[in-house]
Amino acid sequence: GCALNYLEVKEITATASKNISILMENNITGEKFSIAAKSVINATGVWANQILECASTQDLFPLKMCSGIHLLFDKKRFPLENTLAVEAVDDHRNLYFIPWKDLVLVGTTDNLTSDSPDQVSYQPADVSYLLNSINFYFPQLQLTEKDVLEKTYGLRPIVDDVVGEKRASDLSRDYVFKIDQRMPLLSVTGGKLTSFRSMGEKTINLLIKSFFSTESSTLLPCTTISPISGGRLAQTDLKILTGDLGHELAASLLDRYGSNAHVIAAIIRKNPSTKKIIHPQLHYTFAELEYFVAREFAETLTDIFFRRCQLSLFKPEEADLIEVVNFLDGLKLKPTQQFKNSMGDYLREKKIHH
């Protein structure tokens, strides 16, 4: 298979041969093109109904959206060594304070919202909500928004057709399917990270049953027994990698990437200069940047700094940022100057998150 990011679905239509044609637009280059498929799985979370509308159907999910944020603190300012589960002071929901390397993660909020999923943002009241509970349980800290290193936020898809007032946290997190009777289009939304493997298995099996019954003898049921990416760890990994990288870097890469650390080690063996650390405060190497682009489908600086690692947590000097951009564009894995052209969007995003 091939994973492609930044492709926006514009239209989904059935073909004369009962397959599906999908008109797409590359949101980086502006290019439009169509692809054909024997079937389509619409697993787009809060965008599920927008994809269904692209297929010209009125049979939509009773979809609601809940917004949630997390706050990240420096452990020097919030010296927590063990995970805590507490009740929020304001409404008695469960909150979690989680040590994470040199940081502490606090979350999360849970509020129904009608915001566009393309324009999601946090509210100042969400930050205050979390700070109130931190300062209640740790009054000696007196943390303020100035102590927040970064705010992360997103939307959860909730399938719920109950009419009337209900707390967001009381709504079901179950996932729900929709089968299009006009074309081989299967939609699924809802669910949680903790149920995604079960959700994936049931989705594939339902797809086979619904649209490929005549081929059922050759299409085996899905099983989710394979380890997740990076999950093929062996007791000898640290020893093997230490020989090439040294103990500290080997341990750090195994901690971050599991067995995929061997892929990064191979990049360093091929080009030893990529062992260089990008920034002294956060020990990421240039080899990891190449890994993000070549193996984790990063297309922009925002992808790399926010969605693949913790580099967004430090304020790079302009020279540091330019060095990163020149390295990424120098890989020639993407169109000319694609990462340089994404620098403005990254700086705007960073200003919002901080």
Side-chain angles (χ1 to χ4, degrees), residues 182-237:
R182 305 163 303 154
M183 63 181 94
L185 170 62
L186 173 62
S187 298
V188 57
T189 192
K192 298 180 67 175
L193 180 63
T194 49
S195 59
F196 85 95
R197 285 177 60 96
S198 167
M199 183 177 178
E201 179 178 313
K202 290 179 180 178
T203 300
I204 295 299
N205 288 337
L206 182 57
L207 183 80
I208 294 171
K209 178 181 178 181
S210 301
F211 301 120
F212 298 98
S213 57
T214 58
E215 304 173 42
S216 59
S217 60
T218 58
L219 293 174
L220 298 176
C222 174
T223 58
T224 55
I225 58 174
S226 299
I228 61 173
S229 179
R232 299 183 183 276
L233 287 164
Q235 290 184 340
T236 56
D237 283 336

Side-chain angles (χ1 to χ4, degrees), residues 249 253 256-257 260-261 263-268 271 273-279 282-312 314 316 319-334 338-340 342 346:
L249 180 56
L253 292 179
R256 285 204 281 263
Y257 307 103
N260 289 337
V263 179
I264 298 167
I267 293 172
I268 293 173
N271 182 0
S273 67
T274 60
K275 189 178 177 180
K276 179 183 175 182
I277 299 296
I278 297 168
H279 192 276
L282 294 163
H283 297 288
Y284 287 91
T285 63
F286 280 84
E288 288 166 86
L289 297 180
E290 181 172 340
Y291 172 79
F292 297 146
V293 178
R295 300 294 291 267
E296 293 196 348
F297 317 110
E299 298 281 345
T300 67
L301 279 184
T302 300
D303 285 344
I304 289 173
F305 278 66
F306 279 104
R307 303 182 182 123
R308 304 298 188 277
C309 66
Q310 295 172 276
L311 284 169
S312 63
F314 78 93
D320 294 327
L321 201 54
I322 290 174
E323 185 179 14
V324 167
V325 167
N326 289 341
F327 173 81
L328 291 168
D329 283 329
L331 294 173
K332 301 187 184 304
L333 296 173
K334 300 296 176 184
Q338 178 164 305
F339 288 99
K340 181 179 180 181
S342 72
Y346 162 70

Side-chain angles (χ1 to χ4, degrees), residues 150-205:
E150 187 170 286
K151 311 172 189 78
T152 67
Y153 45 89
L155 296 176
R156 306 179 187 88
I158 305 292
V159 183
D160 183 85
D161 56 4
V162 176
V163 178
E165 292 295 324
K166 211 173 184 181
R167 287 199 321 174
S169 57
D170 293 332
L171 297 174
S172 171
R173 265 52 174 177
D174 288 344
Y175 49 87
V176 178
F177 296 100
K178 274 192 180 296
I179 300 173
D180 196 310
Q181 301 299 330
R182 305 163 303 154
M183 63 181 94
L185 170 62
L186 173 62
S187 298
V188 57
T189 192
K192 298 180 67 175
L193 180 63
T194 49
S195 59
F196 85 95
R197 285 177 60 96
S198 167
M199 183 177 178
E201 179 178 313
K202 290 179 180 178
T203 300
I204 295 299
N205 288 337

